[in-house]
């Protein structure tokens, strides 16, 4: 089966999300996040063919975060009540912050991965129909974040 996804990363975009159907669409999204002015460096990605919760919300989410200046990023995956982040290198920044629709989100200190790793994981997320990618390594999202 071929899957499609929608990506939301700007205010007001929930009614008209970016559509993702190919690796080229993922590349375009990553490029847009990496060249943003700083308010929109995270995208929430949802598979269109997945079921929703009884409240009508997606039962999953892949959040990709891009720091275009530093050429690194981070990934958080959620399914049900569980959340994980992609484990990477430890950042040399005091706080690892990205921005979702103008609001900052802190990520774990060891969550920095390459943009190529984000691209590969996002492609796997799309082709698997929303499963957590097999690579990179994952760790439970810290309860204090």
């Amino acid at each position: 089966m071929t899957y499609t996804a929608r990506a939301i990363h700007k205010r007001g975009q929930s009614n008209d999300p970016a559509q993702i159907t190919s690796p080229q669409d993922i590349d375009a999204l990553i490029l847009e996040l990496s060249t943003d002015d700083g308010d929109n460096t995270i995208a929430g990605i949802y598979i269109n063919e997945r079921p929703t919760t009884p409240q009508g919300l997606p039962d999953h989410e892949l959040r990709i975060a891009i720091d275009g200046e530093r050429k690194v990023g981070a990934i958080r995956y959620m399914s049900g009540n569980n959340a994980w982040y992609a484990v990477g290198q430890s950042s040399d920044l005091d706080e690892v912050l990205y921005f979702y629709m103008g609001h900052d989100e802190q990520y774990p200190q060891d969550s920095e991965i390459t943009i190529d790793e984000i691209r590969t994981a996002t492609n796997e997320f799309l082709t698997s129909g929303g499963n957590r990618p097999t690579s990179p390594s994952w760790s439970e999202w810290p309860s204090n974040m």
Side-chain angles (χ1 to χ4, degrees):
M1 176 174 191
T2 302
Y3 297 98
T4 61
R6 62 193 179 282
I8 300 170
H9 64 286
K10 295 181 180 178
R11 287 186 184 119
Q13 193 180 33
S14 57
N15 292 332
D16 188 25
Q19 295 300 311
I20 298 176
T21 62
S22 69
Q24 293 80 13
D25 295 336
I26 293 168
D27 289 344
L29 176 63
I30 289 172
L31 178 62
E32 187 171 348
L33 293 172
S34 67
T35 57
D36 188 81
D37 62 6
D39 283 346
N40 304 297
T41 59
I42 296 174
I45 305 173
Y46 312 92
I47 299 296
N48 293 319
E49 293 79 13
R50 289 271 301 240
T52 58
T53 66
Q55 296 80 20
L57 301 171
D59 71 344
H60 68 292
E61 178 183 59
L62 184 76
R63 281 199 182 202
I64 62 170
I66 306 290
D67 182 333
E69 186 175 306
R70 296 179 61 239
K71 307 285 189 240
V72 296
I75 304 175
R76 183 172 71 185
Y77 176 82
M78 292 175 279
S79 180
N81 293 324
N82 301 307
W84 301 266
Y85 72 97
V87 178
Q89 299 298 315
S90 189
S91 177
D92 57 356
L93 301 175
D94 291 337
E95 286 184 304
V96 180
L97 294 176
Y98 299 95
F99 297 88
Y100 186 64
M101 297 188 208
H103 300 283
D104 64 337
E105 286 189 6
Q106 185 174 0
Y107 277 69
Q109 203 66 28
D110 64 344
S111 65
E112 287 191 346
I113 60 175
T114 68
I115 291 177
D116 281 341
E117 289 174 302
I118 293 170
R119 182 178 291 109
T120 299
T122 306
N123 275 301
E124 184 179 343
F125 174 79
L126 178 63
T127 60
S128 73
N131 295 322
R132 186 177 73 189
T134 57
S135 180
S137 298
W138 296 90
S139 185
E140 283 188 37
W141 187 259
S143 59
N144 63 342
M145 296 193 124

